[in-house]
């Protein structure tokens, strides 16, 4: 791995402003999913180190929250600038540990940094309210204050951005922040800590703890001094963490799984819909929670869409993300490959038709060939669960009412997409779809200026936008008697 700033590659955790090994010195190896090679090791920490991180965070809280908002904003802005100045190195680290193409990794670093820039600005606008008093001698004021120590648990599919979009609003609101990154992708998190330190974020305000997920998660969710848990990952783990938070009544934000419908109506622009489906389905090799999972195409446009979509899929270049021109990297691990294969076999067994792909990729390992299925129906696993891989299933439908019913027939409600030109239909469908985010004639919806989040079993809370700060503050009402 070639880095300009070799200091960004750290094999220790960062707790209370110090770079540390595990108490018992144990480590775990991290491999590159494209080559299977060991990149390095990180400490295998557990309960004791997590308790220490919480103690450091709690001690650091008072001074941090008493800084002016502008002072915290200046430090966050500096962190943003350092990240952008090291964009290439951070992207190299990200591709090596996660597998996504280098250009996509650069895009993620910029996307992740954009949340820090945004919340550096929002930090100065955590406004309260003055409410007309309920009695002549009473005055009512509302202030918003940082909630306290925040614990975050993040996934491997966006090793950089899933951290920054939690850390920036938390620290902007005056909260100390402790993150446990995904076990597969700790190096991006540790590199962020190097730059946080360089930016002047005080010791204890940004900590990264690597190791045993259950042990670290157990302490973070159970500890009374941690006042908020922000999690991105699977619905099953999210539910478990929410249960664990119940005993100490913690505020939780959960960004969980999706099962995004992508609907193409007869009046859609086919080329635009194909381009949108490619980006929405195949970004990060299909491993994003907002990836199109079920593609519904209306009968009148079905064959034309399938033909063009298949052509584009066949032209996707699979390979090591560090090689130029690669659009699809490896999947994160063998379990991810097995899930995609199981969904494919299940669909083929139940009568789906293979249009392109379907076989193991010639590169071996965890590389998969982008695959297209038609004649898919609701009985198949691809309809019910998130595939999280480069497999696109197409369902044919006839009426608007039918497709809305099918699209909403899931416990999930994160992202949804549709392509249509009729203005009345655009409004009707956008309102009827049960999802936290809807892309109309676009397959890309993520931006720091908009509220990202889901409904139903896809989650609680919103990240980014003017709403994102709310998840890290408490409202306090002050009643004053003027006598
Ligand atoms: P994914 O399918 O993205 O791997 P997970 O929900 O398994 O989804 O993982 C997301 C994050 O949750 C990772 O950082 C993982 O280590 C962490 N995690 C998994 N199980 C637990 C648990 N029992 N307690 C705390 N964190 C967990």
């Amino acid at each position: 791995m070639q880095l300009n700033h070799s200091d960004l590659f750290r094999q220790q955790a960062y707790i209370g402003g110090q770079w540390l090994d595990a108490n018992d010195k144990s480590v775990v190896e991290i491999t590159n999913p494209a080559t299977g090679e060991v990149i390095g090791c990180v400490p295998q920490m557990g309960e004791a180190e997590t308790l220490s991180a919480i103690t450091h965070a709690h001690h650091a809280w008072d001074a941090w929250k008493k800084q002016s908002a502008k002072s915290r904003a200046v430090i966050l802005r500096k962190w943003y600038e350092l990240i952008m100045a090291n964009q290439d190195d951070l992207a190299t680290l990200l591709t090596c540990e996660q597998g996504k193409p280098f250009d996509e990794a650069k895009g993620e670093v910029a996307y992740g940094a954009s949340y820090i820039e945004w919340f550096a600005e929002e930090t100065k606008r955590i406004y309260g309210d003055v409410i007309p008093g309920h009695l002549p001698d009473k005055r009512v004021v509302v202030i918003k204050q940082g909630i306290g120590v925040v614990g975050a648990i993040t996934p491997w599919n966006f090793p950089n951005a899933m951290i920054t979009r939690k850390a920036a609003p938390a620290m902007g609101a005056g909260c100390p922040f402790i993150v446990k990154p995904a076990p597969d992708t700790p190096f991006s998190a540790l590199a962020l800590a190097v730059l946080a330190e360089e930016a002047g974020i005080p010791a204890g305000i940004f900590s990264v703890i690597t190791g045993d997920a259950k042990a670290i998660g157990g302490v973070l969710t159970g500890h009374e001094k941690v006042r908020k848990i922000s999690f991105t990952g699977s619905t099953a783990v999210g539910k478990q963490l929410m249960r664990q938070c119940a005993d100490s009544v913690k505020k939780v934000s959960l960004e969980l799984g999706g099962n995004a419908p992508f609907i193409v109506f007869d009046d859609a622009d086919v080329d635009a819909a194909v381009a949108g489906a490619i980006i929405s389905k195949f970004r990060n090799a299909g491993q994003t929670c907002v990836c199109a999972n079920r593609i519904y195409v209306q009968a009148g446009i079905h064959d034309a869409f399938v033909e063009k979509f298949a052509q584009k899929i066949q032209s996707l270049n699979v390979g090591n993300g560090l090689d130029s021109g690669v659009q699809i990297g490896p999947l994160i691990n063998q379990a991810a490959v097995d899930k995609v294969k199981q969904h494919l076999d299940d669909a083929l067994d139940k009568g789906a038709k293979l249009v392109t792909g379907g076989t193991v990729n010639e590169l071996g390992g965890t590389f998969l060939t982008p695959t297209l299925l038609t004649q898919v129906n609701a009985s198949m696993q691809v309809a019910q669960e998130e595939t999280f891989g480069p497999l696109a299933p197409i369902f044919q439908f006839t009426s608007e009412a039918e497709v809305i019913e099918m699209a909403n027939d899931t416990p999930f409600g994160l992202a949804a997409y549709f392509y249509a030109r009729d203005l009345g239909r655009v409004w009707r469908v956008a309102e009827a779809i049960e999802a936290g985010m809807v892309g109309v004639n676009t397959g890309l919806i993520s931006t720091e200026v908009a509220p990202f989040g889901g409904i139903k079993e896809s989650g609680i809370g919103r990240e980014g936008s003017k709403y994102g700060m709310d998840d890290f503050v408490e409202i306090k009402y002050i009643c004053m008697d003027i006598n």
Side-chain angles (χ1 to χ4, degrees):
M1 192 168 43
Q2 287 290 318
L3 300 179
N4 298 316
H5 183 358
S6 59
D7 209 30
L8 287 172
F9 179 60
R10 291 296 176 107
Q11 301 188 69
Q12 289 181 302
Y14 183 68
I15 294 174
Q18 296 198 300
W19 292 96
L20 298 173
D21 296 321
N23 290 349
D24 65 2
K25 308 289 175 219
S26 61
V27 295
V28 278
E29 288 183 342
I30 307 301
T31 53
N32 179 333
T35 61
E37 285 164 12
V38 174
I39 307 169
C41 294
V42 292
Q44 179 70 357
M45 293 180 158
E47 287 180 12
E49 296 90 338
T50 313
L51 284 169
S52 162
I54 295 169
T55 304
H56 281 290
H58 194 253
H59 282 152
W61 182 27
D62 194 52
W64 180 243
K65 76 180 176 196
K66 285 180 179 159
Q67 286 199 23
S68 69
K70 177 156 182 171
S71 157
R72 288 195 302 270
V74 167
I75 295 173
L76 285 177
R77 173 86 205 178
K78 178 85 181 142
W79 194 28
Y80 159 78
E81 283 164 2
L82 287 169
I83 289 170
M84 290 312 293
N86 290 281
Q87 186 182 10
D88 281 11
D89 277 354
L90 293 171
T92 302
L93 268 175
L94 207 164
T95 295
C96 286
E97 65 179 354
Q98 198 272 343
K100 69 178 64 178
F102 181 69
D103 284 347
E104 247 185 83
K106 275 184 79 171
E108 179 182 337
V109 173
Y111 172 65
S114 73
Y115 283 89
I116 303 176
E117 181 188 40
W118 174 268
F119 284 110
E121 292 154 3
E122 288 295 294
T123 292
K124 294 176 277 185
R125 299 182 191 106
I126 306 178
Y127 297 148
D129 259 323
V130 180
I131 298 174
H134 54 303
L135 293 169
D137 55 0
K138 295 287 191 288
R139 300 292 178 268
V140 173
V141 176
V142 174
I143 60 171
K144 291 183 181 172
Q145 295 177 298
I147 190 164
V149 178
V150 173
I153 297 176
T154 54
W156 50 264
N157 60 345
F158 288 90
N160 175 301
M162 294 305 105
I163 295 174
T164 56
R165 74 180 183 180
K166 299 179 190 306
M171 297 194 299
C175 305
F177 182 87
I178 302 166
V179 62
K180 188 209 82 62
D184 322 71
T185 58
F187 293 123
S188 293
L190 295 168
L192 284 171
V194 173
L195 299 174
E197 191 176 21
E198 212 175 305
I201 293 173
I205 296 300
F206 182 81
S207 294
V208 179
I209 180 160
T210 55
D212 181 340
K214 269 200 177 143
I216 298 168
V219 175
L220 287 176
T221 52
H223 202 290
E224 52 151 2
K225 292 272 190 295
V226 178
R227 291 313 315 152
K228 156 100 194 176
I229 290 289
S230 181
F231 171 75
T232 299
S234 63
T235 298
V237 173
K239 286 179 181 177
Q240 189 183 331
L241 296 177
M242 195 175 174
R243 275 184 217 113
Q244 289 172 205
C245 285
D247 279 343
S248 49
V249 195
K250 281 191 214 329
K251 189 159 165 164
V252 291
S253 291
L254 304 170
E255 298 285 358
L256 309 176
N259 181 2
F262 185 105
I263 307 169
V264 187
F265 287 98
D266 280 346
D267 60 328
D269 173 335
V270 184
D271 292 323
V274 166
I278 289 283
I279 196 122
S280 169
K281 176 70 245 182
F282 293 103
R283 196 161 60 102
N284 201 12
Q287 304 172 109
T288 89
C289 50
V290 293
C291 274
N293 201 54
R294 300 166 290 155
I295 302 176
Y296 296 102
V297 187
Q298 203 162 11
I301 206 173
H302 179 270
D303 293 354
F305 178 86
V306 169
E307 194 188 328
K308 290 189 172 183
F309 194 33
Q311 273 172 16
K312 286 270 192 245
I313 290 174
Q314 282 157 359
S315 72
L316 291 171
N317 192 1
V318 181
N320 184 327
L322 288 181
D323 295 341
S324 72
V326 164
Q327 293 153 297
I328 307 273
L331 296 203
I332 189 72
N333 54 32
Q334 190 56 38
V337 171
D338 292 344
K339 184 173 188 191
V340 177
K341 284 189 181 160
Q342 189 193 326
H343 279 198
L344 178 61
D345 291 344
D346 170 76
L348 292 172
D349 281 350
K350 291 176 181 159
K353 183 178 156 217
L354 183 66
V355 180
T356 182
T359 47
V360 179
N361 192 272
E362 65 204 18
L363 296 169
T366 59
F367 290 98
L368 281 184
T369 304
T371 297
L372 178 61
L373 293 174
T374 54
Q375 297 176 23
V376 175
N377 64 50
S379 74
M380 301 173 185
Q381 278 178 338
V382 284
Q384 293 150 13
E385 296 166 29
E386 207 172 21
T387 304
F388 237 62
L391 167 63
I394 296 192
F395 306 67
Q396 196 175 142
F397 72 94
T398 48
S399 74
E400 184 181 310
E402 177 197 11
V403 78
I404 286 173
E405 199 180 321
M406 292 195 292
N408 289 342
D409 184 21
T410 165
F412 301 102
L414 193 58
Y417 309 85
F418 66 93
Y419 279 69
R421 285 280 155 202
D422 178 276
L423 190 57
R425 167 174 284 163
V426 166
W427 271 110
R428 283 194 305 275
V429 175
E431 289 180 3
I433 283 205
E434 293 170 357
M437 299 171 280
V438 181
V440 183
N441 296 318
T442 177
L444 259 188
I445 51 174
S446 299
T447 158
E448 81 280 11
V449 309
F452 187 106
I455 62 170
K456 295 160 80 177
E457 292 186 23
S458 287
I460 296 175
R462 292 294 180 269
E463 293 187 328
S465 83
K466 68 172 182 175
Y467 304 103
M469 197 67 91
D470 292 344
D471 283 16
F472 298 93
V473 297
E474 293 279 29
I475 288 173
K476 182 182 281 174
Y477 143 57
I478 303 165
C479 183
M480 285 185 250
D481 188 303
I482 61 171
N483 292 310

